[in-house]
Amino acid sequence: MLDKLGFRKTKATDQFNIEDNLEIPSHVAIIMDGNGRWAKNKNLPRVAGHHEGMKVVKKIVREADRLGIEILTLYAFSTENWKRPKDEVDFLMKLPGQFLTSYLKELIEKNVQVRVMGDESRLPEHTRAAVNQAKEQTANNTGLILNFALNYGSRHELTMAMRTLAAEVQIGELKPEEIDESKISGALLSHAYPDPDLLIRTSGELRLSNFMLWQLAYTELIFTDVYWPDFSESHLQQAIQHYNRRSRRFGGV
Ligand code: V07
């Protein structure tokens, strides 16, 4: 293949990359569901699914970074997940530490900023220590924002935001009529990020399950039957292709 100037293209440039002609969403959020079911289908304990799911997180972070996604928000643990058996909760709470032990070095090299969104006060001390170390060591990075929703629940987030605004009204810093959409967005845990452009939920459930209810008002929602441990780079690319088709059909002025 010859280029415009008649030079033969190198092997690398002969390749078509799926993302070449696509609009990459700035903020992608993912509900990583189906880890337990994946394990059950293989006659493995549920925690084996969680562990496999963690490996997929690494793969998808690499791909998100390669594609030029700016913010990747991953739902790792919900406020409802405490109701699971204690052994499973204990296992899940060790995953942030395991993930970071094996992967923080690469995240630092890749200029990734690790963030956490959720009520961190209820997390075990060892989980908080791991997460804080990751946040601190990536605080000055300027690349992909890897935002873990950890002990996150949207109604709790909205409740806390309303308390914050109500307290400002009470001390006379804010008038009720000054409360608008941007004041509410600004009081949420996600205040530093734009709303997600694309939400992906794996494993076939068609629900939001208390995830970013305010922020997803205009987001493209993509549901796939694939279990999270089976989710791959190509599934992320397909979701972005769907996102492009939809925004071309409905978007614009
Ligand atoms: C968890 C693996 C992915 C599938 C969903 C459930 C299990 C990565 C983290 C994590 C969180 C914070 C952090 C670094 C890594 C994680 C939990 C569960 C609780 F700073 N995966 N993963 N945390 N799973």
XYZ file of all heavy atoms in Angstrom, residues 32-33 35 49-55 57 74-77 84 92-97 99-100 114-116 127 130-131 134 146 148 150 228, ligand 1:
309
model
N -19.488 -3.752 36.565
C -18.755 -4.996 36.248
C -19.479 -6.181 36.878
O -19.031 -6.736 37.877
C -17.322 -4.904 36.784
C -16.580 -3.636 36.349
S -14.883 -3.584 36.980
C -15.143 -3.209 38.715
N -20.583 -6.591 36.269
C -21.451 -7.603 36.887
C -21.195 -8.987 36.283
O -20.724 -9.104 35.150
C -22.909 -7.177 36.665
C -23.864 -7.876 37.614
O -23.399 -8.507 38.591
O -25.077 -7.805 37.370
N -19.559 -11.737 37.906
C -18.368 -12.484 38.341
C -18.743 -13.769 39.069
O -18.178 -14.829 38.806
C -17.500 -11.580 39.229
C -17.100 -10.314 38.497
O -16.220 -10.330 37.648
N -17.777 -9.201 38.778
N -14.442 -15.937 40.651
C -14.953 -14.995 39.659
C -14.486 -13.572 39.945
O -14.121 -12.827 39.022
N -14.481 -13.199 41.213
C -14.017 -11.854 41.572
C -12.541 -11.683 41.220
O -12.112 -10.638 40.742
C -14.239 -11.589 43.064
C -15.682 -11.627 43.472
N -16.672 -11.042 42.711
C -16.305 -12.172 44.542
C -17.841 -11.227 43.309
N -17.651 -11.913 44.411
N -11.773 -12.743 41.486
C -10.343 -12.667 41.197
C -10.096 -12.544 39.698
O -9.264 -11.749 39.241
C -9.612 -13.890 41.772
C -8.135 -13.732 41.778
N -7.332 -14.246 40.782
C -7.318 -13.064 42.634
C -6.080 -13.910 41.042
N -6.034 -13.205 42.149
N -10.841 -13.346 38.915
C -10.728 -13.269 37.458
C -11.168 -11.878 36.970
O -10.555 -11.303 36.066
C -11.593 -14.366 36.822
C -11.308 -14.647 35.367
C -9.904 -15.191 35.120
O -9.305 -15.798 36.035
O -9.415 -14.988 33.991
N -12.226 -11.357 37.617
C -12.725 -10.023 37.269
C -11.667 -8.955 37.470
O -11.581 -7.989 36.706
N -10.844 -9.132 38.493
C -9.784 -8.158 38.755
C -8.753 -8.148 37.625
O -8.235 -7.100 37.242
C -9.109 -8.491 40.082
C -8.090 -7.479 40.502
S -7.300 -7.921 42.048
C -6.271 -9.261 41.526
N -8.469 -9.328 37.070
C -7.524 -9.387 35.942
C -8.088 -8.629 34.736
O -7.345 -7.977 34.001
C -7.254 -10.846 35.549
C -6.516 -11.639 36.594
C -5.915 -12.878 35.922
C -6.164 -14.138 36.714
N -6.127 -15.355 35.911
N -10.074 -6.094 34.901
C -9.938 -4.660 35.167
C -8.610 -4.152 34.588
O -8.549 -3.133 33.904
C -10.032 -4.344 36.679
C -9.673 -2.885 36.961
C -11.435 -4.652 37.210
N -15.284 2.666 37.470
C -15.606 1.243 37.604
C -16.327 0.993 38.918
O -15.831 1.378 39.994
C -14.316 0.409 37.556
C -13.483 0.540 36.282
C -12.194 -0.285 36.419
C -14.269 0.083 35.049
N -17.507 0.340 38.834
C -18.279 0.042 40.044
C -17.711 -1.234 40.669
O -17.997 -2.344 40.226
C -19.749 -0.145 39.667
C -20.741 0.140 40.780
C -20.336 0.566 42.042
C -22.109 0.014 40.555
C -21.257 0.848 43.039
C -23.041 0.294 41.555
C -22.607 0.708 42.789
O -23.533 0.979 43.765
N -16.894 -1.069 41.702
C -16.191 -2.202 42.310
C -16.942 -2.779 43.505
O -16.884 -3.992 43.746
C -14.791 -1.775 42.738
N -17.649 -1.918 44.270
C -18.331 -2.400 45.481
C -19.432 -1.416 45.846
O -19.186 -0.223 45.990
C -17.314 -2.511 46.627
C -17.815 -3.287 47.820
C -17.655 -4.665 47.887
C -18.459 -2.634 48.873
C -18.128 -5.378 48.988
C -18.927 -3.351 49.970
C -18.756 -4.729 50.024
N -23.625 -9.409 51.549
C -23.128 -10.718 51.095
C -22.459 -11.472 52.257
O -22.124 -10.867 53.273
C -22.120 -10.508 49.953
C -22.808 -9.957 48.715
C -21.835 -9.904 47.583
N -22.461 -9.392 46.375
C -21.803 -9.158 45.252
N -20.514 -9.386 45.169
N -22.435 -8.684 44.189
N -13.396 -9.622 48.919
C -13.506 -8.435 48.053
C -12.670 -7.276 48.590
O -12.028 -6.552 47.818
C -14.975 -8.020 47.928
C -15.839 -8.910 47.032
C -17.319 -8.629 47.240
C -15.452 -8.718 45.570
N -12.663 -7.125 49.925
C -11.940 -6.005 50.520
C -10.415 -6.154 50.392
O -9.676 -5.196 50.595
C -12.337 -5.848 51.999
C -13.704 -5.225 52.160
S -13.714 -3.574 51.409
C -15.216 -3.630 50.486
N -9.977 -7.378 50.058
C -8.530 -7.570 49.832
C -8.142 -7.259 48.394
O -6.958 -7.111 48.082
C -8.137 -9.014 50.167
C -8.121 -9.284 51.659
C -7.646 -10.721 51.939
C -7.991 -11.139 53.361
N -8.451 -12.532 53.435
N -9.129 -7.173 47.505
C -8.799 -6.996 46.081
C -8.121 -5.661 45.757
O -7.175 -5.652 44.968
C -10.043 -7.211 45.209
C -10.512 -8.670 45.100
C -11.698 -8.787 44.158
C -9.383 -9.579 44.614
N -8.566 -4.535 46.353
C -7.828 -3.302 46.046
C -6.338 -3.425 46.363
O -5.485 -3.024 45.531
C -8.515 -2.258 46.925
C -9.918 -2.768 47.060
C -9.771 -4.274 47.153
N -6.006 -4.006 47.515
C -4.598 -4.184 47.888
C -3.861 -5.083 46.911
O -2.750 -4.772 46.476
N -4.716 -5.797 43.785
C -4.669 -5.125 42.494
C -3.498 -4.141 42.452
O -2.711 -4.115 41.498
C -5.998 -4.387 42.278
C -6.096 -3.600 41.002
C -6.558 -4.189 39.839
C -5.753 -2.249 40.966
C -6.678 -3.466 38.662
C -5.865 -1.517 39.796
C -6.327 -2.134 38.642
N -3.369 -3.379 43.524
C -2.357 -2.315 43.529
C -0.955 -2.881 43.717
O -0.002 -2.370 43.121
C -2.710 -1.284 44.595
C -4.017 -0.529 44.269
C -4.578 0.182 45.486
C -3.808 0.442 43.111
N -5.228 7.420 40.031
C -6.196 6.561 40.722
C -7.055 7.425 41.658
O -6.527 8.229 42.425
C -5.495 5.444 41.530
C -6.516 4.591 42.280
C -4.645 4.575 40.609
N -8.367 7.247 41.561
C -9.313 7.975 42.420
C -10.327 6.993 42.995
O -10.567 5.936 42.413
C -10.081 9.025 41.613
C -9.216 10.072 40.934
C -8.798 11.148 41.933
N -8.017 12.187 41.276
C -6.707 12.130 41.090
N -6.022 11.074 41.494
N -6.059 13.114 40.491
N -10.934 7.351 44.098
C -11.973 6.514 44.675
C -13.185 7.384 44.982
O -13.062 8.518 45.443
C -11.473 5.792 45.945
C -12.628 5.120 46.681
C -10.427 4.740 45.563
N -7.742 -1.897 53.543
C -8.249 -1.474 52.226
C -8.014 0.025 52.035
O -7.552 0.466 50.980
C -9.759 -1.785 52.109
O -9.978 -3.142 52.481
C -10.263 -1.546 50.698
N -4.340 0.777 51.341
C -3.934 0.469 49.963
C -4.418 1.555 49.006
O -3.661 2.051 48.160
C -4.493 -0.895 49.551
N -5.669 1.924 49.171
C -6.280 2.911 48.290
C -5.610 4.286 48.450
O -5.330 4.980 47.465
C -7.802 2.956 48.588
C -8.411 4.246 48.140
C -8.501 1.748 47.974
N -2.288 4.402 46.730
C -2.436 4.527 45.276
C -2.810 5.956 44.891
O -2.294 6.515 43.921
C -3.490 3.552 44.773
N -8.553 6.847 36.662
C -9.137 5.540 36.962
C -9.889 5.677 38.284
O -9.287 5.740 39.351
C -8.030 4.491 37.051
C -8.448 3.091 37.492
C -9.557 2.522 36.617
C -7.239 2.156 37.502
N -12.455 4.379 40.919
C -13.155 3.212 41.452
C -14.310 3.661 42.342
O -14.092 4.396 43.307
C -12.206 2.337 42.278
C -11.232 1.552 41.452
C -9.911 1.968 41.330
C -11.630 0.402 40.789
C -9.003 1.247 40.568
C -10.730 -0.327 40.019
C -9.421 0.098 39.907
N -16.281 2.645 45.180
C -15.984 1.670 46.228
C -16.812 2.039 47.451
O -16.682 3.151 47.974
C -14.473 1.751 46.527
C -13.808 0.643 47.293
C -13.987 -0.701 46.630
C -12.304 0.947 47.426
N -18.589 -10.269 33.284
C -17.403 -9.411 33.377
C -16.078 -10.178 33.183
O -15.209 -9.711 32.448
C -17.390 -8.605 34.686
C -16.140 -7.777 34.802
C -15.098 -7.990 35.640
C -15.801 -6.632 33.998
N -14.119 -7.042 35.423
C -14.524 -6.197 34.418
C -16.443 -5.931 32.965
C -13.878 -5.101 33.859
C -15.797 -4.834 32.390
C -14.525 -4.437 32.845
C -12.990 -5.746 42.690
C -12.816 -7.130 40.606
C -13.554 -6.576 39.437
C -14.947 -7.148 39.286
C -15.919 -6.614 40.271
C -15.885 -7.151 41.686
C -14.571 -7.624 42.207
C -10.352 -3.799 41.400
C -10.571 -3.155 42.611
C -9.904 -1.958 43.105
C -10.589 -1.033 43.889
C -9.946 0.115 44.347
C -8.643 0.335 44.005
C -7.948 -0.552 43.227
C -8.573 -1.708 42.786
C -11.606 -3.878 43.221
C -13.185 -4.510 44.751
C -13.595 -5.540 43.934
C -13.840 -4.286 46.071
F -8.018 1.460 44.420
N -11.188 -4.812 41.273
N -11.959 -4.893 42.366
N -12.202 -3.673 44.404
N -13.405 -6.784 41.875
